Amino acid sequence: MTVNGVVMTATPHPHTSETWPIAVCMHGFAPVLPDGTRLHDAPVEEWDRVFRQVARLGFTAVEIADSHIRPSELTPQRRQELKTVASENGVQLISVHVQRQSVIQPGKGEENLAYAHRAIDAAAELGMTVFSTGLHQPFTEAQRKALWFWTARGPVDPDDAETRALAVRRLRELGEHAASVGLPMSLEMYEDTYLGTADSAVRLVQEIGLDNVGLNPDIGNLIRLHRPIEDWREMHEKTLPYANYWHVKNYIRDEAGDGSWQTAVPTSLELGLINYRDMVARAIELGFRGPFLMEQYGGDSLGVCATNRDYLRTLLPESAQA
């Protein structure tokens, strides 16, 4: 494989199909409890309930989304409680995902940058293996009202060299911090950001220029859009060489031959537009060795994630290579 003109040699598989790290997202849990208490502020008994459900479905790892719990904003005692209750249920806190806190968000970029730095330190303290973030911003009112938020337009990163350069500088700063505490940093692909197309996402990682900074090639975020999209095969081919963490989900997509309409709804990994059998094989061929994160919107998110995990394991290598 050649990246930036350098011939790369794929590293051996560090895991078998049964041991490859596969985490579950927190979409299946409400961020606010029925009594109005945020999950972030909930007593440890509520956290225990979350991790017991995760473990009961056979998951041994979870991604902590900051929409639900912000590890950096917990007291040291509460962070230890979070780690302990997860461990008691046999669940690893594999990553923290800082979402909708863009470092170039107008009026909040510097504040979000400082928050991301705290999140990196908290992730290291908790023994996580990935720091995950991106450039997507908070939902617009239209997105909050929509049945599926991706059917309404959200904020758009400006086509402006100065703003893009600012994104590069701030993300490089975070990447250097992550490297200093032994963490890879993964940037999630997301529409209408500098990570919104394959070419722009790859160029952003190249501009950042750090070995520990790679892509989360969450192409599911893009094939669900009700607008024309890039070919999913081409997007994967361009981005997979830079992947170090992978949110995987799938959608049934349909569109008119004349391009007059497009639609998409969530489905399982096996049934959707993306052929994950081919894409996982290609990713491993290109050297992907990072964790997977099962993600699902709608319905029984946790149940579908468990089904998807079992399917994914059939696509992974049966034995580790020396």
Side-chain angles (χ1 to χ4, degrees):
M1 177 183 67
T2 301
V3 176
N4 294 339
V6 178
V7 177
M8 309 290 288
T9 301
T11 57
H13 305 313
H15 300 286
T16 69
S17 59
E18 291 304 313
T19 63
W20 205 295
I22 301 177
V24 66
C25 70
M26 298 190 74
H27 295 340
F29 301 101
V32 179
L33 304 181
D35 66 359
T37 303
R38 295 188 306 161
L39 185 61
H40 176 89
D41 299 317
V44 72
E45 290 78 12
E46 284 294 334
W47 292 352
D48 180 65
R49 181 184 63 83
V50 167
F51 293 124
R52 277 191 286 112
Q53 287 191 60
V54 167
R56 186 175 182 184
L57 283 166
F59 281 102
T60 57
V62 67
E63 176 188 85
I64 299 297
D66 68 351
S67 55
H68 289 65
I69 298 173
R70 294 189 171 192
S72 64
E73 311 309 290
L74 297 170
T75 65
Q77 178 183 348
R78 288 276 281 168
R79 276 198 296 274
Q80 185 57 49
E81 288 176 346
L82 180 67
K83 184 175 183 178
T84 298
V85 73
S87 179
E88 287 174 347
N89 283 282
V91 176
Q92 178 188 7
L93 306 178
I94 204 167
S95 61
V96 61
H97 182 51
V98 171
Q99 58 187 2
R100 305 194 182 282
Q101 306 286 328
S102 171
V103 295
I104 55 170
Q105 181 181 340
K108 288 199 66 177
E110 290 186 3
E111 179 183 337
N112 290 344
L113 177 64
Y115 165 63
H117 276 297
R118 296 195 301 273
I120 290 171
D121 285 333
E125 179 184 329
L126 289 167
M128 294 180 177
T129 61
V130 178
F131 171 65
S132 175
T133 192
L135 290 172
H136 38 318
Q137 298 183 33
F139 288 133
T140 63
E141 185 62 26
Q143 287 179 307
R144 285 193 291 269
K145 290 181 178 178
L147 173 62
W148 302 115
F149 63 84
W150 55 84
T151 62
R153 288 274 183 163
V156 179
D157 285 350
D159 184 13
D160 174 74
E162 185 176 346
T163 305
R164 185 182 178 102
L166 178 63
V168 170
R169 288 196 303 273
R170 288 180 171 173
L171 291 173
R172 183 185 297 128
E173 180 182 322
L174 292 177
E176 289 171 343
H177 183 179
S180 74
V181 295
L183 287 173
M185 182 169 96
S186 194
L187 301 176
E188 181 184 15
M189 296 184 67
Y190 198 88
E191 77 267 14
D192 297 328
T193 72
Y194 298 137
L195 294 157
T197 68
D199 287 339
S200 181
V202 166
R203 183 160 65 92
L204 191 70
V205 170
Q206 293 172 341
E207 290 167 337
I208 293 168
L210 297 174
D211 289 342
N212 70 311
V213 177
L215 289 177
N216 168 3
D218 190 349
I219 306 300
N221 286 341
L222 305 177
I223 67 162
R224 69 190 178 191
L225 299 176
H226 289 198
R227 62 174 102 158
I229 59 171
E230 298 178 79
D231 184 276
W232 59 269
R233 302 169 192 83
E234 294 176 4
M235 285 192 282
H236 281 96
E237 189 65 23
K238 291 176 179 178
T239 60
L240 286 176
Y242 299 86
N244 60 358
Y245 184 50
W246 198 354
H247 287 183
V248 290
K249 56 181 178 285
N250 218 344
Y251 294 82
I252 291 175
R253 180 179 175 88
D254 197 10
E255 56 187 46
D258 63 4
S260 59
W261 59 266
Q262 302 85 23
T263 188
V265 292
T267 189
S268 68
L269 286 190
E270 194 172 7
L271 296 178
L273 177 67
I274 296 171
N275 182 341
Y276 276 101
R277 184 175 299 275
D278 287 350
M279 293 305 97
V280 169
R282 182 60 174 149
I284 292 172
E285 178 185 4
L286 290 169
F288 177 72
R289 301 294 183 263
F292 290 91
L293 185 279
M294 301 292 100
E295 191 176 19
Q296 175 74 16
Y297 288 96
D300 178 5
S301 172
L302 290 169
V304 176
C305 285
T307 299
N308 285 344
R309 176 206 60 221
D310 294 344
Y311 167 69
L312 175 61
R313 290 216 184 274
T314 70
L315 310 181
L316 294 169
E318 290 185 296
S319 60
Q321 294 182 356

